[in-house]
Amino acid sequence: MSAPVTHEPAMTVSLSLPDLVDHPFLGSGCCVVAADDALRQELERWPGVRSASISADTGQAVIVATSELDLEPILETLESLGFPAQAKPASTSEGR
């Protein structure tokens, strides 16, 4: 059985994470993980986030989310993880 198709408006938000370029890893010793993977997983856990992609090479992230996404707590969480971000809504589209 497939999931029902929703026609909720979507928005795309671009984030600039400049510290990600200089610090592409989290942790130390035997517990090192790629920061872009860890941040993507964190973003995809947030309610309203449909998908997230992050590039450690460019320090850019793109979030596709429902129009109800509250971006402020996400930005605060990224900063608390050591990656202050600036956001700019890129576009809004109707149902996909």
Side-chain angles (χ1 to χ4, degrees), residues 14 52 72:
S14 296
E72 195 59 38

Side-chain angles (χ1 to χ4, degrees), residues 6 8-13 46-51 63-70 92:
T6 61
E8 295 179 40
M11 71 175 183
T12 302
V13 179
W46 283 87
V49 173
R50 293 180 180 170
S51 67
I63 300 171
V64 177
T66 62
S67 59
E68 296 89 34
L69 180 69
D70 185 3
T92 302

Side-chain angles (χ1 to χ4, degrees), residues 23-39:
H23 306 287
F25 299 101
L26 292 172
S28 63
C30 67
C31 301
V32 175
V33 296
D36 55 349
D37 286 339
L39 295 175

